[in-house]
Amino acid sequence: MTPALLAMTVEELTDAVQQLGHPAYRARQLADWVYAKAVTDPAAMTNLPKALAQGFDILTSRVVARADGRDGTIKLLIELADGERIECVMMPSPKRVTACLSTQVGCSMACVFCASGMEGLRRNLSAGEILEQILHLSQACKRRITNAVFMGVGEPLANYDATIAAVRALVDPQRFNISARHVTVSTVGLPKKIRRLAREGLPITLAISLHAPNDALRKQLLPTAGGTPIADILAAAQEFFEAHKREITIEYVLLGGVNDSMVCADALAKLARTIRCNVNLIRFNPVDPSTLVPPTIATVKAFAQRLGKRGVNVHVRRPRGRDVAAACGQLRRNRPLQSDSR
Ligand code: SAH
């Protein structure tokens, strides 16, 4: 087995390059191909001896299906070296190219509205496997990735070390060079891990998947994570805010007739005012075989207005890639459009 390049700092890469008998400056050149140009084929690295890049694992995974949405969204199904499959999404806008990354194969949280947890957790991804998604997406859209959100399959903070190593690579000016402000880690709310994250010195955006304004309803919707009191999660999130003065994002999936009443809006507003946050409302994207339904657009609007009136900073998240099943875990389950024959 050759060493995994993406898991290395440039200093570590320099040592490894020298150990293979090449001069130190070759490491910088190799890093430039991979990180700045998203080139991973050793044969295309024209200023390098071929044997150099061949001495490293750059991509251990491959794209097995691609779906292009009408809104420019690209969703990739990726096969890992052991045959497991994950997915990732690229969402373009004029100023930004956002990558949505998976951190686990499957998920142990079993949230009732989410496709990712329907078949349980199979394994964690390594930091390298998380980062390979950025390269695949960048190659697919031929643009540099400017933003990364850990909102794909899996619970990032349940795969803490690999997630943090990946975030460090993303924000490293010598590697992916993405501004920390443009990296969002979304969690179902693991207070101990959130506190630890607050001490990592990474001024990223923290998003908390709340989805319910009280513990009883939350336990129904998030059977695993809902056992943790909301108050503990928000206290940990506030610690993250204090560490970096970065406002917390609260995510709230609106489910028709379940958590979309004005009573829920008022209770959510009360919670939201206890910490420094923005609330992101996400209209439920239906998944099979769930019986849940999205609320009407009018209900989403009314819910948002109610929060606004109560002094909450609120945004309704624009749905992206609906036609390519871009909500978490959906492509893995749906069997894709353009799968190869293997
Ligand atoms: N495990 C992490 C990150 C993955 S999901 C977390 O829970 O935050 C990213 C966001 O998409 C979460 O807020 C999740 O609850 C939401 N989501 C999952 N399934 C959805 C669906 N079918 N429709 C709309 N949002 C969904």
Side-chain angles (χ1 to χ4, degrees), residues 113-115 150-152 154-156 186-188 209 211 251 253 282-285 287 327-328 330:
F113 48 81
C114 180
F150 287 74
M151 293 187 181
E155 167 48 42
S186 178
T187 176
V188 78
S209 289
H211 308 323
E251 290 164 285
V253 173
I282 314 156
R283 186 163 175 256
F284 173 58
N285 192 356
V287 293
C328 336
Q330 289 188 14

Short mmCIF file of all heavy atoms in Angstrom, two decimals, residues 113-115 150-152 154-156 186-188 209 211 251 253 282-285 287 327-328 330, ligand 1:
data_model
loop_
_atom_site.label_atom_id
_atom_site.label_comp_id
_atom_site.label_asym_id
_atom_site.label_seq_id
_atom_site.Cartn_x
_atom_site.Cartn_y
_atom_site.Cartn_z
N PHE A 113 -36.96 11.16 9.14
CA PHE A 113 -37.20 11.85 7.86
C PHE A 113 -36.01 11.73 6.92
O PHE A 113 -36.01 12.29 5.83
CB PHE A 113 -37.46 13.34 8.13
CG PHE A 113 -36.44 13.92 9.07
CD1 PHE A 113 -35.20 14.31 8.61
CD2 PHE A 113 -36.70 13.98 10.44
CE1 PHE A 113 -34.24 14.78 9.48
CE2 PHE A 113 -35.75 14.46 11.32
CZ PHE A 113 -34.51 14.86 10.84
N CYS A 114 -34.96 11.02 7.32
CA CYS A 114 -33.69 11.06 6.59
C CYS A 114 -33.38 9.70 5.97
O CYS A 114 -33.44 8.67 6.64
CB CYS A 114 -32.57 11.48 7.54
SG CYS A 114 -30.95 11.55 6.75
N ALA A 115 -33.02 9.72 4.69
CA ALA A 115 -32.73 8.47 3.97
C ALA A 115 -31.42 7.83 4.43
O ALA A 115 -31.25 6.62 4.34
CB ALA A 115 -32.67 8.75 2.46
N PHE A 150 -20.60 19.82 5.64
CA PHE A 150 -20.64 18.42 6.03
C PHE A 150 -22.10 18.07 6.30
O PHE A 150 -22.54 17.95 7.43
CB PHE A 150 -19.76 18.20 7.27
CG PHE A 150 -18.29 18.26 6.97
CD1 PHE A 150 -17.66 19.46 6.73
CD2 PHE A 150 -17.53 17.08 6.91
CE1 PHE A 150 -16.30 19.52 6.43
CE2 PHE A 150 -16.17 17.13 6.63
CZ PHE A 150 -15.55 18.34 6.38
N MET A 151 -22.84 17.95 5.20
CA MET A 151 -24.28 17.68 5.29
C MET A 151 -24.68 16.51 4.40
O MET A 151 -25.84 16.36 4.03
CB MET A 151 -25.08 18.92 4.87
CG MET A 151 -24.93 20.08 5.83
SD MET A 151 -26.06 21.40 5.37
CE MET A 151 -25.66 22.64 6.61
N GLY A 152 -23.71 15.69 4.05
CA GLY A 152 -24.03 14.50 3.28
C GLY A 152 -24.41 13.38 4.22
O GLY A 152 -24.94 13.61 5.31
N GLY A 154 -24.17 10.62 7.00
CA GLY A 154 -23.39 10.38 8.22
C GLY A 154 -23.45 11.52 9.21
O GLY A 154 -23.90 12.62 8.90
N GLU A 155 -23.01 11.22 10.43
CA GLU A 155 -22.95 12.23 11.48
C GLU A 155 -21.47 12.60 11.68
O GLU A 155 -20.70 11.80 12.22
CB GLU A 155 -23.57 11.65 12.77
CG GLU A 155 -23.31 12.44 14.03
CD GLU A 155 -23.58 13.95 13.91
OE1 GLU A 155 -24.59 14.34 13.30
OE2 GLU A 155 -22.75 14.73 14.42
N PRO A 156 -21.07 13.79 11.22
CA PRO A 156 -19.64 14.15 11.25
C PRO A 156 -19.01 14.01 12.64
O PRO A 156 -17.88 13.53 12.76
CB PRO A 156 -19.62 15.61 10.80
CG PRO A 156 -20.95 15.90 10.24
CD PRO A 156 -21.91 14.84 10.64
N SER A 186 -22.30 20.18 10.15
CA SER A 186 -23.68 20.04 10.62
C SER A 186 -23.78 18.81 11.51
O SER A 186 -23.35 17.73 11.12
CB SER A 186 -24.61 19.90 9.42
OG SER A 186 -25.94 19.71 9.84
N THR A 187 -24.34 18.98 12.69
CA THR A 187 -24.43 17.86 13.62
C THR A 187 -25.84 17.71 14.18
O THR A 187 -26.57 18.68 14.33
CB THR A 187 -23.44 18.01 14.79
OG1 THR A 187 -23.66 16.93 15.71
CG2 THR A 187 -23.62 19.32 15.52
N VAL A 188 -26.14 16.48 14.52
CA VAL A 188 -27.41 16.15 15.13
C VAL A 188 -27.42 16.63 16.59
O VAL A 188 -28.47 16.65 17.23
CB VAL A 188 -27.59 14.62 14.96
CG1 VAL A 188 -26.77 13.85 15.97
CG2 VAL A 188 -29.01 14.21 14.89
N SER A 209 -28.76 20.40 13.90
CA SER A 209 -30.03 19.90 13.37
C SER A 209 -31.01 19.75 14.52
O SER A 209 -30.99 18.75 15.24
CB SER A 209 -29.80 18.55 12.68
OG SER A 209 -29.09 18.75 11.48
N HIS A 211 -34.77 20.55 14.54
CA HIS A 211 -35.97 19.92 13.97
C HIS A 211 -37.19 19.82 14.88
O HIS A 211 -38.26 19.37 14.43
CB HIS A 211 -35.66 18.53 13.41
CG HIS A 211 -34.51 18.48 12.46
ND1 HIS A 211 -34.24 19.48 11.55
CD2 HIS A 211 -33.52 17.55 12.29
CE1 HIS A 211 -33.16 19.17 10.86
NE2 HIS A 211 -32.70 18.02 11.29
N GLU A 251 -30.76 24.23 12.19
CA GLU A 251 -31.52 23.68 11.05
C GLU A 251 -32.82 23.08 11.55
O GLU A 251 -32.86 22.43 12.60
CB GLU A 251 -30.70 22.60 10.35
CG GLU A 251 -29.51 23.15 9.60
CD GLU A 251 -28.53 22.05 9.28
OE1 GLU A 251 -27.83 21.60 10.20
OE2 GLU A 251 -28.50 21.64 8.12
N VAL A 253 -36.03 21.05 9.81
CA VAL A 253 -36.76 20.47 8.67
C VAL A 253 -38.25 20.56 8.97
O VAL A 253 -38.71 20.04 9.99
CB VAL A 253 -36.36 18.99 8.46
CG1 VAL A 253 -37.25 18.35 7.40
CG2 VAL A 253 -34.91 18.87 8.05
N ILE A 282 -35.89 24.19 6.40
CA ILE A 282 -35.75 23.32 5.23
C ILE A 282 -37.07 22.59 5.03
O ILE A 282 -37.53 21.90 5.93
CB ILE A 282 -34.64 22.25 5.44
CG1 ILE A 282 -33.37 22.87 6.02
CG2 ILE A 282 -34.36 21.49 4.15
CD1 ILE A 282 -32.50 21.89 6.77
N ARG A 283 -37.70 22.82 3.88
CA ARG A 283 -38.94 22.09 3.61
C ARG A 283 -38.60 20.63 3.36
O ARG A 283 -37.70 20.32 2.57
CB ARG A 283 -39.63 22.72 2.40
CG ARG A 283 -40.98 22.16 2.11
CD ARG A 283 -41.74 23.11 1.16
NE ARG A 283 -43.02 22.54 0.77
CZ ARG A 283 -43.25 22.00 -0.43
NH1 ARG A 283 -42.30 21.98 -1.34
NH2 ARG A 283 -44.43 21.48 -0.69
N PHE A 284 -39.28 19.74 4.06
CA PHE A 284 -39.01 18.31 3.95
C PHE A 284 -38.97 17.85 2.49
O PHE A 284 -39.87 18.17 1.71
CB PHE A 284 -40.09 17.53 4.72
CG PHE A 284 -40.01 16.04 4.55
CD1 PHE A 284 -38.86 15.35 4.89
CD2 PHE A 284 -41.10 15.31 4.07
CE1 PHE A 284 -38.79 13.97 4.74
CE2 PHE A 284 -41.03 13.94 3.92
CZ PHE A 284 -39.87 13.27 4.26
N ASN A 285 -37.93 17.10 2.17
CA ASN A 285 -37.78 16.52 0.84
C ASN A 285 -38.18 15.04 0.98
O ASN A 285 -37.45 14.28 1.61
CB ASN A 285 -36.31 16.69 0.43
CG ASN A 285 -36.09 16.39 -1.03
OD1 ASN A 285 -37.00 15.98 -1.75
ND2 ASN A 285 -34.86 16.57 -1.47
N VAL A 287 -38.82 11.18 1.25
CA VAL A 287 -38.00 10.00 0.99
C VAL A 287 -38.88 8.76 1.13
O VAL A 287 -39.77 8.73 1.97
CB VAL A 287 -36.80 9.90 1.97
CG1 VAL A 287 -35.82 11.03 1.75
CG2 VAL A 287 -37.24 9.90 3.43
N ALA A 327 -31.27 15.14 -1.45
CA ALA A 327 -31.34 15.07 0.02
C ALA A 327 -30.53 13.86 0.48
O ALA A 327 -30.46 12.86 -0.22
CB ALA A 327 -32.77 14.97 0.50
N CYS A 328 -29.95 14.00 1.67
CA CYS A 328 -28.97 12.99 2.14
C CYS A 328 -29.40 11.56 1.92
O CYS A 328 -30.49 11.18 2.27
CB CYS A 328 -28.75 13.03 3.64
SG CYS A 328 -29.07 14.47 4.46
N GLN A 330 -30.16 9.81 -0.52
CA GLN A 330 -31.16 9.35 -1.48
C GLN A 330 -30.56 8.64 -2.70
O GLN A 330 -31.13 7.69 -3.20
CB GLN A 330 -32.02 10.52 -1.95
CG GLN A 330 -32.96 10.99 -0.86
CD GLN A 330 -33.96 12.02 -1.35
OE1 GLN A 330 -34.13 12.20 -2.54
NE2 GLN A 330 -34.61 12.68 -0.44
N1 SAH B 1 -25.87 14.19 10.54
C1 SAH B 1 -25.73 15.59 10.31
C2 SAH B 1 -25.50 15.98 8.86
C3 SAH B 1 -26.32 15.32 7.78
S1 SAH B 1 -27.84 15.90 7.24
C4 SAH B 1 -26.92 16.32 10.87
O1 SAH B 1 -27.83 15.69 11.37
O2 SAH B 1 -26.90 17.55 10.89
C5 SAH B 1 -27.87 17.56 6.78
C6 SAH B 1 -29.24 18.17 7.05
O3 SAH B 1 -30.26 17.69 6.14
C7 SAH B 1 -29.73 17.85 8.44
O4 SAH B 1 -30.26 18.99 9.05
C8 SAH B 1 -30.78 16.81 8.15
O5 SAH B 1 -31.66 16.69 9.22
C9 SAH B 1 -31.40 17.33 6.89
N2 SAH B 1 -32.22 16.32 6.19
C10 SAH B 1 -32.12 14.99 6.22
N3 SAH B 1 -33.07 14.39 5.48
C11 SAH B 1 -33.83 15.38 4.96
C12 SAH B 1 -34.97 15.40 4.10
N4 SAH B 1 -35.51 14.27 3.65
N5 SAH B 1 -35.50 16.60 3.78
C13 SAH B 1 -34.94 17.75 4.23
N6 SAH B 1 -33.85 17.78 5.02
C14 SAH B 1 -33.30 16.62 5.40
#
